[in-house]
Amino acid sequence: MANPLIRKLEQFVRFSSAEKLRLEQLAAKRHKIYSAGEVILKEGEKPEPILLVVSGLAARCKVLSEGRRQIMAFLIPGDFCDVEVFVLDAMDHDIVAVTETICAHLAVPEIERLLTEMSSLTRALWWSTMTDTAVLRERIIDHGSRSARERICHLLYEMLVRYRVVGLASDHSFPFPVTQEQLADATGMTPVHVNRIVSELRAEELIRWKDKIVSILDVPRLKEVANFDGCYLHLERTFQGDAEVSERAGDLF
Amino acid sequence: MANPLIRKLEQFVRFSSAEKLRLEQLAAKRHKIYSAGEVILKEGEKPEPILLVVSGLAARCKVLSEGRRQIMAFLIPGDFCDVEVFVLDAMDHDIVAVTETICAHLAVPEIERLLTEMSSLTRALWWSTMTDTAVLRERIIDHGSRSARERICHLLYEMLVRYRVVGLASDHSFPFPVTQEQLADATGMTPVHVNRIVSELRAEELIRWKDKIVSILDVPRLKEVANFDGCYLHLERTFQGDAEVSERAGDLF
DNA sequence: CGTTGACTTGACGGAAGTCAAAAGGTGTGG
DNA sequence: CCACACCTTTTGACTTCCGTCAAGTCAACG
């Protein structure tokens, strides 16, 4: 299976095999393992290398004064933790490992060299950060105008799409090793209420969620319930290759 | 008073007077006036020039299926409507004029030339887009973990800071020509409830809001109620020059 | 002076929060 | 292998914040 980062960026640009090799080598170096719950990057600090999630699941989150915590985004393999660091002085939020997570530490000068030598990479990275902020905007809509049900369904559907893009979803299932409490932090609700909604979704046979794996039992209906319109992800292509993926696959958006 | 864009970017980099002149000339050309309510950019379209707000107030918003509308960000003078267009195929949301708004249409090749000739500008634009997404993240926190009161106070405080940066806030007042309904769309609440909260804030003598002007009567208390921590705006410097600004000015963050 | 759009106010209902306690899991150590 | 602690999930009763509906005020404007 190809490198998640490459799979993701190839939604937008095509790389030559030489370029892919270079990217692959870049991501293969200086891996660091973070255990579940560990803080990968802390608010206020200025990391020198750029961190790329290679495996596992991390979260972009902020702790608020009253102890409450807000997860603003989940980071899956192929996502960068801190592109903003190219420019800004310090992180304005934390990156926390949700499960055991492996990150590649990319040296800034190395990336910069690659950027000058591979012009397509610059565009691809721009695209990547732009879609990241589009996802953020979608989260605002979530919280502003969607019910608890819709919010959870929307998040699940989005995760399905994103995992598919990087080749980590098999058919209609994807790894989702979060507790209901963490899901509550991400959707801005209480754990109790998350539980109630999830129970409902299970009872309606919309989803299955067991052993850290979420399976969507009725993809079109979930999309409908979620009110999902995927154009914000700016993914034009359909997935190639994945044999198990039903004919609905290209139709996810 | 200096150009808002320049004032904003100078929070992060210093320009020579020659550079300022070039930026000023860039923003002075091809102005277009949009009347209140007019759609400046529509979802799905790919604008060729980059749009810069010169005066007035615009909103980044998305209309949802049920007719509800979500305002994701307000754009004030010095803000760009569509940097993402450098890379992406199409807008994934609308830009709407809230009041009469003037935008400068900047030709893409012209900007690109400027970017290669002024290396500091590239960094400054990166900084600008990064802080824009930081503001987005803050909005997520708003909706996820703050009460209606906090949300409104937070938004007002943030607008005060942003208007100060571009030199358009006099003392503790700034222009805020939105209806309570639009504020509801931005904070994800109903107009009725916005009204109740605003009435409260007025009764408590925290703010005054009349004739499209918001005045903060007790800045520190508003900051406290809003639970505001301004480091996400990544503004290091204090405001220079503004004589009316009290000694609290540099302490806003 | 009627019309229109923004703001205000009140009564009512419902979605989600709070509190609390029980029931399942899971890992650790004796 | 059991017992214990600890963490998640589940469930129930109660509360509250905010949405909904509806009516009414006020100012601007033709």
Side-chain angles (χ1 to χ4, degrees):
Chain A
M1 182 186 306
N3 180 313
L5 175 63
I6 296 177
R7 285 199 59 143
K8 188 170 87 167
L9 296 183
E10 283 218 309
Q11 298 293 322
F12 180 64
V13 294
R14 275 254 160 261
F15 296 118
S16 70
S17 38
E19 288 174 327
K20 280 192 223 182
L21 191 64
R22 293 205 56 180
L23 275 172
E24 202 122 17
Q25 286 168 342
L26 182 76
K29 279 190 283 186
R30 277 188 296 277
H31 280 190
K32 184 159 177 225
I33 304 177
Y34 300 89
S35 50
E38 196 174 338
V39 176
I40 298 176
L41 289 171
K42 233 215 294 294
E43 176 172 351
E45 93 186 17
K46 161 120 184 162
E48 343 68 54
I50 303 281
L51 293 192
L52 171 70
V53 177
V54 170
S55 80
L57 182 70
R60 205 178 277 286
C61 69
K62 204 154 183 172
V63 279
L64 307 169
S65 45
E66 328 84 44
R68 208 174 155 71
R69 185 177 68 155
Q70 178 71 38
I71 293 180
M72 294 171 295
F74 286 114
L75 303 176
I76 69 174
D79 289 338
F80 288 101
C81 297
D82 55 349
V83 263
E84 53 264 57
V85 142
F86 264 123
V87 166
L88 296 181
D89 42 306
M91 295 291 292
D92 58 13
H93 58 271
D94 298 334
I95 308 284
V96 179
V98 174
T99 51
E100 179 167 297
T101 300
I102 301 178
C103 291
H105 287 229
L106 314 180
V108 172
E110 214 165 317
I111 297 182
E112 280 172 342
R113 185 150 39 83
L114 216 57
L115 282 173
T116 57
E117 291 169 21
M118 279 173 64
S119 59
S120 58
L121 186 60
T122 310
R123 276 175 62 81
L125 281 185
W126 263 98
W127 169 80
S128 165
T129 61
M130 296 282 109
T131 55
D132 284 353
T133 73
V135 170
L136 275 188
R137 277 196 291 267
E138 206 61 23
R139 206 84 317 121
I140 291 178
I141 295 175
D142 262 16
H143 295 178
S145 336
R146 288 200 256 254
S147 67
R149 264 178 85 82
E150 289 174 306
R151 252 180 275 178
I152 289 184
C153 290
H154 199 277
L155 182 62
L156 291 179
Y157 198 92
E158 186 188 293
M159 293 308 288
L160 174 65
V161 174
R162 288 173 58 201
Y163 270 115
R164 282 238 178 124
V165 166
V166 294
L168 292 173
S170 72
D171 205 1
H172 302 320
S173 303
F174 57 92
F176 202 48
V178 304
T179 64
Q180 293 186 355
E181 185 172 4
Q182 288 161 338
L183 182 53
D185 287 339
T187 51
M189 6 194 318
T190 54
V192 177
H193 202 232
V194 165
N195 181 273
R196 283 193 268 252
I197 303 288
V198 169
S199 306
E200 272 178 42
L201 298 179
R202 274 203 269 247
E204 295 166 25
E205 311 223 289
L206 242 180
I207 66 166
R208 189 177 303 147
W209 184 358
K210 202 167 182 308
D211 299 330
K212 313 288 177 200
I213 304 277
V214 168
S215 306
I216 312 301
L217 301 178
D218 189 340
V219 178
R221 196 150 63 88
L222 183 71
K223 185 179 178 183
E224 206 184 300
V225 174
N227 232 299
F228 188 89
D229 171 12
C231 76
Y232 70 93
L233 289 169
H234 295 279
L235 299 166
E236 262 66 87
R237 301 182 199 187
T238 58
F239 311 114
Q240 340 77 324
D242 212 337
E244 310 141 280
V245 171
S246 82
E247 60 284 346
R248 276 197 229 94
D251 198 31
L252 273 177
F253 311 108
Chain B
M1 184 185 307
N3 180 312
L5 175 63
I6 296 176
R7 285 201 57 146
K8 188 170 86 165
L9 297 184
E10 283 218 309
Q11 298 292 321
F12 180 64
V13 294
R14 274 255 159 260
F15 296 119
S16 68
S17 37
E19 289 174 327
K20 281 191 223 182
L21 191 64
R22 292 205 56 181
L23 276 172
E24 202 122 19
Q25 286 168 342
L26 182 76
K29 278 190 284 187
R30 278 187 296 277
H31 280 188
K32 183 159 177 226
I33 303 177
Y34 300 89
S35 50
E38 196 174 339
V39 176
I40 299 176
L41 288 172
K42 234 216 292 293
E43 176 172 351
E45 94 185 17
K46 160 119 187 163
E48 343 68 53
I50 303 279
L51 294 191
L52 171 70
V53 177
V54 170
S55 80
L57 183 71
R60 205 178 278 284
C61 68
K62 203 152 185 173
V63 279
L64 307 170
S65 44
E66 330 84 44
R68 208 176 154 68
R69 186 176 67 153
Q70 178 70 40
I71 294 180
M72 293 171 295
F74 287 114
L75 303 176
I76 67 174
D79 288 339
F80 287 101
C81 297
D82 55 349
V83 264
E84 53 263 59
V85 141
F86 263 124
V87 166
L88 296 181
D89 41 305
M91 295 291 293
D92 58 12
H93 58 271
D94 299 333
I95 307 285
V96 179
V98 174
T99 49
E100 179 168 298
T101 299
I102 301 178
C103 290
H105 287 228
L106 314 180
V108 171
E110 212 166 318
I111 296 183
E112 280 173 343
R113 185 150 38 83
L114 216 56
L115 283 173
T116 56
E117 290 170 22
M118 278 172 65
S119 59
S120 58
L121 186 59
T122 310
R123 275 175 63 80
L125 281 186
W126 263 97
W127 169 80
S128 166
T129 61
M130 295 283 110
T131 55
D132 284 353
T133 72
V135 170
L136 275 188
R137 277 195 292 265
E138 207 60 25
R139 207 84 314 121
I140 291 178
I141 296 176
D142 263 15
H143 295 178
S145 334
R146 287 199 256 255
S147 68
R149 264 177 84 81
E150 289 174 305
R151 254 181 274 179
I152 290 185
C153 289
H154 199 276
L155 182 62
L156 292 179
Y157 198 92
E158 185 188 293
M159 293 309 288
L160 174 65
V161 174
R162 288 173 58 201
Y163 270 116
R164 281 236 178 128
V165 166
V166 294
L168 293 172
S170 72
D171 205 0
H172 302 321
S173 303
F174 57 92
F176 202 48
V178 304
T179 64
Q180 293 186 353
E181 186 173 4
Q182 288 160 337
L183 182 52
D185 288 338
T187 50
M189 11 196 311
T190 54
V192 178
H193 203 230
V194 165
N195 181 274
R196 282 194 269 253
I197 303 288
V198 170
S199 305
E200 272 178 43
L201 298 178
R202 275 203 267 248
E204 295 166 25
E205 313 224 285
L206 242 179
I207 65 165
R208 189 178 303 146
W209 184 356
K210 201 166 183 307
D211 300 330
K212 312 288 178 202
I213 304 277
V214 169
S215 306
I216 312 301
L217 301 178
D218 189 339
V219 178
R221 195 150 63 88
L222 183 71
K223 186 180 176 184
E224 206 183 300
V225 174
N227 233 299
F228 188 89
D229 172 11
C231 75
Y232 70 93
L233 290 168
H234 295 279
L235 301 165
E236 262 67 84
R237 297 178 206 195
T238 57
F239 312 115
Q240 340 78 323
D242 213 337
E244 309 142 281
V245 171
S246 81
E247 59 287 344
R248 276 198 228 92
D251 197 32
L252 273 177
F253 313 108

